[in-house]
């Protein structure tokens, strides 16, 4: 069977297991050909595409899926995804001698209201034992944070790994998320309940292929970086930095991680989510491959 998949931030490290799965035939040898990796166009739009059947399986931001589930949109998290803190780093201008660490930041630039990056701008100083006071400015996108830094409007801004790796002489990292957080569910692999019921073997094949891809990346970082560099037109050296950073953070995991889910739910609340999360209804581990963890923050019935 041929399918397309939708992946959030498809120019960032989220796309790498999917690229590897295509290149190494980890999906096709299981009977599923992933033809196109489509860039997510926002959580709700991506989910509508998924529900329409045009891209029936996707990797979507945790909070976007959580918001959809709370609004009774039929979606299920069938696999893990990005569970490490990698990619949540904040940067200052390299020549800014005043800002060298998290305690120096008074003005933070994040992406958009309600985003995980917005939540991190509160969670990180809290974990560091610092005040969460300070000004937060919505950059409105990926590149706009860099523009705010250059204009001197903010002390630190979130920058995606690809941009930071490409501009190491221009920006310096002043907050490494992994210094404060060990587990953080950034994305989940999703399918509509109807599609999963009609095509369970496809869902299982995709998850098993993704799992094999994640293991292969850890063993072949340079080759994975080459694939990623070609995909996003990134210098190979910069791509190697992205891949190795993700590996060191243990970011990719097809199974469920209770600590990562609880931390991400905490971040979602900071970003405006209201209500309780019924993990047993929201998640379905029946499609996970052998060896993948199925534990959730709450114990579910058999």
């Amino acid at each position: 069977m041929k399918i397309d998949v939708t992946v959030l931030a498809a120019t960032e490290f989220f796309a790498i297991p999917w690229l590897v799965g295509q290149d190494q035939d980890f999906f096709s040898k299981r009977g599923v050909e992933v033809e196109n990796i489509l860039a997510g166009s926002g959580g709700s739009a991506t989910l509508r595409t998924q529900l329409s059947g045009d891209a029936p399986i996707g990797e979507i931001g945790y909070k976007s899926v959580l918001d959809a589930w709370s609004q009774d949109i039929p979606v299920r998290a069938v696999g893990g995804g990005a569970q490490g803190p990698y990619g949540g780093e904040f940067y200052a201008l390299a020549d800014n001698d005043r800002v060298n660490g998290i305690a120096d930041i008074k003005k933070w630039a994040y992406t958009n209201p309600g985003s995980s990056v917005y939540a991190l701008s509160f969670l990180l100083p809290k974990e560091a034992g610092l005040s969460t006071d300070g000004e937060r400015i919505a950059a409105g996108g990926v590149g706009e944070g860099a523009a705010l830094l250059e204009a001197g409007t903010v002390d630190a801004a979130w920058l995606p790994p690809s941009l930071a790796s490409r501009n190491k002489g221009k920006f310096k990292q002043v907050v490494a998320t992994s210094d404060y957080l060990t587990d953080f569910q950034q994305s989940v692999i999703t399918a509509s309940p109807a599609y999963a019921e009609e095509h369970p073997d496809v869902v299982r094949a995709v998850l098993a292929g993704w799992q094999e891809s994640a293991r292969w990346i850890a063993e072949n970082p340079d080759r994975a970086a080459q694939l990623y560099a070609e995909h996003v037109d990134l210098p190979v050296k910069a791509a190697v930095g992205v891949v190795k950073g993700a590996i060191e953070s243990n970011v990719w995991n097809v199974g469920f991680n209770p600590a990562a889910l609880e931390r991400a739910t905490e971040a979602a609340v900071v970003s405006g989510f209201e209500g309780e999360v019924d993990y047993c209804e929201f998640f379905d581990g029946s499609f996970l491959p052998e060896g993948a963890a199925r534990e959730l923050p709450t114990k579910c019935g058999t």
Side-chain angles (χ1 to χ4, degrees):
M1 177 177 287
K2 296 181 179 180
I3 65 168
D4 292 338
V5 296
T6 305
V7 179
L8 82 161
T11 59
E12 295 303 323
F13 63 89
F14 301 98
I16 299 174
W18 300 98
L19 294 169
V20 167
Q22 284 180 322
D23 183 74
Q24 297 295 308
D25 296 324
F26 293 151
F27 302 122
S28 60
K29 74 179 184 180
R30 293 176 168 88
V32 179
E33 183 177 347
V34 174
E35 287 196 296
N36 299 299
I37 300 170
L38 307 175
S41 52
S44 60
T46 299
L47 287 168
R48 284 195 295 271
T49 300
Q50 190 172 95
L51 294 173
S52 72
D54 292 338
I57 298 174
E59 184 176 352
I60 303 174
Y62 176 75
K63 184 175 182 293
S64 294
V65 181
L66 192 60
D67 287 338
W69 169 79
S70 68
Q71 296 164 22
D72 295 324
I73 296 174
V75 61
R76 292 292 181 275
V78 294
Q83 295 181 2
Y86 180 69
E89 286 67 40
F90 285 81
Y91 295 80
L93 288 177
D95 59 1
N96 186 342
D97 295 331
R98 185 180 60 80
V99 180
N100 296 295
I102 191 169
D104 302 322
I105 303 172
K106 308 303 179 188
K107 293 183 179 180
W108 301 70
Y110 61 94
T111 49
N112 296 295
S115 65
S116 62
V117 175
Y118 172 78
L120 284 173
S121 75
F122 289 91
L123 292 179
L124 293 171
K126 177 183 176 183
E127 290 297 316
L130 301 170
S131 170
T132 57
D133 293 341
E135 189 176 353
R136 270 78 178 176
I137 297 175
V142 172
E144 287 82 344
L148 290 175
L149 285 175
E150 292 172 341
T153 306
V154 297
D155 298 321
W158 172 82
L159 299 179
S162 62
L163 191 154
S165 294
R166 192 192 292 264
N167 295 278
K168 284 194 172 181
K170 192 173 185 179
F171 305 108
K172 62 182 178 183
Q173 185 184 108
V174 291
V175 184
T177 313
S178 59
D179 287 347
Y180 306 99
L181 305 176
T182 55
D183 302 286
F184 189 72
Q185 192 80 40
Q186 300 186 56
S187 65
V188 287
I189 300 174
T190 60
S192 73
Y195 185 86
E197 183 177 348
E198 294 171 9
H199 304 283
D201 291 342
V202 174
V203 178
R204 291 190 182 97
V206 169
L207 293 176
W210 194 97
Q211 179 189 50
E212 188 170 3
S213 294
R215 291 172 176 169
W216 187 91
I217 294 167
E219 297 170 356
N220 303 274
D222 291 337
R223 175 58 185 149
Q226 182 68 47
L227 291 172
Y228 178 53
E230 293 170 357
H231 176 67
V232 296
D233 192 23
L234 190 68
V236 173
K237 184 177 180 181
V240 169
V242 172
V243 171
K244 290 188 175 179
I247 292 171
E248 289 170 4
S249 179
N250 295 314
V251 74
W252 294 301
N253 183 0
V254 77
F256 299 152
N257 179 338
L261 291 170
E262 288 183 317
R263 179 65 83 176
T265 299
E266 178 187 354
V269 171
V270 172
S271 295
F273 177 79
E274 297 179 352
E276 296 294 325
V277 178
D278 186 345
Y279 295 101
C280 299
E281 180 182 341
F282 182 26
F283 284 82
D284 184 350
S286 64
F287 303 97
L288 289 170
E290 183 178 353
R294 290 166 167 78
E295 184 182 357
L296 294 168
T298 54
K299 186 173 179 60
C300 303
T302 56

